[in-house]
């Protein structure tokens, strides 16, 4: 009789070895460059306001068009990742946002910069859901949220590094230096990924593609596995269907998917309002350009630390645990508008990032757990894409409010409103989470494997 290897069991029983570490580490590298590139425009904006003699509020459309590109990329690459594989989609996204971030240095006006950032945003947004799906599919169930959150801290770390690097680079080398660094780094990482990043083991199993590569991955996770002539089985997934949008609402997800979208939208509104406008707003309040960049870097650093702090709790208690962060975040965001003194501003900016960006990390860590492998990249990609409604709206509304010369306290009180809505959404999502089920059919038989 032919040997049968349950790929699900191999994944669940694996030890933390080189393959899993490599997947997380290289995905972290992509997120690192992704976060740096997305926030680079915020650090360059104060210099460009003076260079091009434009009002601060005019940068609202530039911020939002980049985020609109992210929305398009999140949805399109979710589909692409389910069609051609996680690895190819990630590499293409990295090449795209690297090339167009580098192209930002040739922009001579807001219109040119806006369209360059739009195309870069497509690549930035595309890399995220595919990386989340890839890490979810290599991780044992008990560690999925933790691994995705740790991977995603690359994004907030990149944003934090961007603040500290910009504080040094821009005064010394000009605003273009941020885009040179932000463009070259992802291009180098993308080239490396061609040679070092494996395809998702679950994706290969569910689609039945490349049994030889699947066999190699099984041996890396389970060195004593005898894969010669084996038939591979996925015991916890139904056979991969052609994706259709109603699948996101099936099997108990009729309530979960809209709640996930709603929560993402409102937390993204607050996050990108703050992330986009913080350097300019703080400078308007009397903080120097370098100090504002450091404060924005501390905002991102707070998100990184929050993500690491909550990762295991999200695995254990689910998305409901994340509600602690916006609960604390509401008064903290409001308080940033009343802070005086550079030290206090930087400290509160860190706490705001801890709560608001940390909430986003918690949602990212949970999103993939609501969907099975066959539709995971589409499910996560669609959620992140829909979230960009809030990401786009936040900077636009921020630009309108800043143009009215509102006091800082009023600006940050406005930013706290979507945080409050996100809190309500997370509580409702956590209560609805228990209704999700996968309804697997008979185990998927993948085919015969052989080491090439």
């Amino acid at each position: 009789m032919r040997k049968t290897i349950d790929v699900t069991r191999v994944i669940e029983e694996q030890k933390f070895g080189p393959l899993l570490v490599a997947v997380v580490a290289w995905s972290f590298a992509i997120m690192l460059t992704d976060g740096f590139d997305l926030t680079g425009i915020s650090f360059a904006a104060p210099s460009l306001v003076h260079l091009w003699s434009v009002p601060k509020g005019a940068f609202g459309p530039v911020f939002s068009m980049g985020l609109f590109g992210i929305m398009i990329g999140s949805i399109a690459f979710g589909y692409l990742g389910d069609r051609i594989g996680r690895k190819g989609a990630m590499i293409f996204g990295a090449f795209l946002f690297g090339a167009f971030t580098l192209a930002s240095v040739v922009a001579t006006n807001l219109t040119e910069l806006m369209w360059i950032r739009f195309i870069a945003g497509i690549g930035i947004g595309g890399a995220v859901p595919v990386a989340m799906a890839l890490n979810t599919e290599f991780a044992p169930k008990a560690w999925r949220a933790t691994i995705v959150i740790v991977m995603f801290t690359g994004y907030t770390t990149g944003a934090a590094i961007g603040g500290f690097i910009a504080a040094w680079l821009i005064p010394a080398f000009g605003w273009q230096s941020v885009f040179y660094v932000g463009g070259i780094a992802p291009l180098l990482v993308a080239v490396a990924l061609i040679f070092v990043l494996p395809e998702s083991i679950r994706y290969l199993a569910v689609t039945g593609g490349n049994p030889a590569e699947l066999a190699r991955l099984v041996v890396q996770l389970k060195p004593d596995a005898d894969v010669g002539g084996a038939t591979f089985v996925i015991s916890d997934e139904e056979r991969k269907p052609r994706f259709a949008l109603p699948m996101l609402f099936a099997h108990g997800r009729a309530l979960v998917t809209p709640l996930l979208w709603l929560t993402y939208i409102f937390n993204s509104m607050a996050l990108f309002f703050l992330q986009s406008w913080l350097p300019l707003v703080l400078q308007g309040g009397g903080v120097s350009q370098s100090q504002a960049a450091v404060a924005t870097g501390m905002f991102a650093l707070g998100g990184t630390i929050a993500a690491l702090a909550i990762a295991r709790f999200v695995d254990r208690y689910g998305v409901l645990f994340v509600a602690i962060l916006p609960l604390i975040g509401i008064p903290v965001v409001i308080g940033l508008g009343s802070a005086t003194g550079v030290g206090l501003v930087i400290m509160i900016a860190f706490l705001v990032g801890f709560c608001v960006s940390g909430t986003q990390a918690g949602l990212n860590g949970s999103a993939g757990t609501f969907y099975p492998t066959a539709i995971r990249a589409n499910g996560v990609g669609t959620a992140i894409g829909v979230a960009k409604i809030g990401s786009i709206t936040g900077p636009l509304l921020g630009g309108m409010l800043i143009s009215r010369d509102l006091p800082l306290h009023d600006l940050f009180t406005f930013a706290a409103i979507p945080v409050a809505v996100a809190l309500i959404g997370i509580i409702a999502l956590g209560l609805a989470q228990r209704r999700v089920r996968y309804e697997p059919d008979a185990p998927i038989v993948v085919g015969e494997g052989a080491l090439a």
Side-chain angles (χ1 to χ4, degrees):
M1 295 181 65
R2 290 181 177 178
K3 298 183 293 292
T4 299
I5 296 177
D6 183 356
V7 176
T8 300
R9 186 172 179 181
V10 171
I11 294 170
E12 290 301 316
E13 294 179 354
Q14 69 177 299
K15 297 179 180 179
F16 280 87
L19 179 60
L20 184 58
V21 171
V23 170
V24 177
W26 284 105
S27 300
F28 180 95
I30 281 290
M31 294 297 99
L32 188 76
T33 59
D34 195 296
F36 186 98
D37 282 16
L38 181 60
T39 55
I41 184 62
S42 300
F43 302 122
S47 296
L48 294 174
V49 164
H50 294 292
L51 178 66
W52 293 343
S53 300
V54 295
K56 290 185 292 186
F59 262 83
V62 176
F63 295 144
S64 291
M65 277 297 284
L67 296 167
F68 181 61
I70 292 175
M71 180 177 72
I72 300 297
S74 297
I75 297 172
F77 276 72
Y79 174 80
L80 190 66
D82 281 342
R83 293 288 292 178
I84 70 169
R86 316 317 193 199
K87 177 177 178 176
M90 278 181 64
I91 292 170
F92 178 46
F95 271 117
L96 187 63
F97 77 76
F100 278 87
T101 296
L102 194 58
S104 300
V105 301
V106 304
T108 59
N109 55 61
L110 285 175
T111 301
E112 292 177 0
L113 184 60
M114 181 175 66
W115 287 108
I116 290 172
R117 295 304 299 167
F118 169 73
I119 300 174
I122 293 175
I124 292 172
V128 174
V130 182
M132 289 168 64
L134 177 68
N135 282 258
T136 298
E137 290 161 3
F138 266 104
K141 186 176 181 179
W143 286 85
R144 283 179 187 171
T146 297
I147 284 175
V148 171
I149 289 172
V150 169
M151 177 274 296
F152 200 78
T153 59
Y155 170 83
T156 49
T157 302
I161 290 173
F164 301 121
I165 290 179
W168 166 67
L169 277 179
I170 293 177
F173 303 104
W175 63 271
Q176 297 96 332
S177 58
V178 174
F179 295 119
Y180 279 121
V181 173
I184 293 172
L187 292 176
L188 294 176
V189 173
V191 172
L193 293 182
I194 296 172
F195 304 101
V196 300
L197 186 70
E199 182 54 89
S200 162
I201 187 170
R202 277 184 173 268
Y203 177 83
L204 290 173
V206 170
T207 59
N210 201 338
E213 184 178 357
L214 175 58
R216 285 194 295 270
L217 293 175
V218 168
V219 170
Q220 285 185 267
L221 294 181
K222 187 178 174 63
D224 61 348
D226 182 6
V227 298
T231 297
F232 297 104
V233 171
I234 300 293
S235 61
D236 65 343
E237 297 279 2
E238 56 185 271
R239 187 171 296 277
K240 179 178 173 63
R242 182 178 294 275
F243 176 74
L245 190 63
M247 293 177 184
L248 301 182
F249 303 89
H251 304 321
R253 292 186 290 270
L255 182 59
V256 163
T257 290
L259 283 173
L260 180 64
W261 291 358
L262 182 70
T263 307
Y264 256 129
I265 286 170
F266 280 93
N267 196 72
S268 297
M269 185 183 298
L271 175 61
F272 285 93
F273 170 86
L274 293 165
Q275 188 169 274
S276 299
W277 288 109
L278 205 54
L280 275 169
V281 168
L282 292 181
Q283 278 189 252
V287 177
S288 72
Q289 182 174 4
S290 295
Q291 291 168 338
V294 170
T296 307
M298 290 297 289
F299 169 88
L301 181 62
T304 301
I305 293 175
L308 296 173
I310 68 171
R312 290 304 295 143
F313 294 101
V314 175
D315 266 321
R316 180 172 299 180
Y317 301 110
V319 71
L320 191 59
F321 181 84
V322 182
I324 294 173
L325 294 178
L327 182 64
I328 299 171
I330 295 168
V332 171
V333 171
I334 295 172
L336 184 57
S338 304
T340 57
V342 174
L344 184 60
V345 167
I346 291 175
M347 183 183 73
I348 297 181
F350 171 85
L351 293 175
V352 170
F354 187 95
C355 295
V356 179
S357 186
T359 299
Q360 198 81 351
L363 291 172
N364 291 334
S366 305
T369 64
F370 295 128
Y371 304 102
T373 301
I375 62 170
R376 182 168 291 123
N378 270 299
V380 174
T382 303
I384 293 176
V386 170
K388 294 305 172 286
I389 296 172
S391 304
I392 295 166
T393 304
L396 282 176
L397 291 177
M400 293 169 59
L401 294 171
I402 289 168
S403 297
R404 294 174 178 269
D405 293 322
L406 293 178
L408 289 183
H409 181 270
D410 291 354
L411 288 174
F412 287 105
T413 299
F414 169 82
I417 294 173
V419 177
V421 178
L423 170 62
I424 297 170
I426 290 171
I427 294 172
L429 185 60
L431 296 176
Q433 184 177 26
R434 65 195 67 179
R435 299 179 59 187
V436 175
R437 60 190 188 281
Y438 284 167
E439 303 285 349
D441 294 329
I444 299 171
V445 178
V446 178
E448 296 185 358
L451 287 172

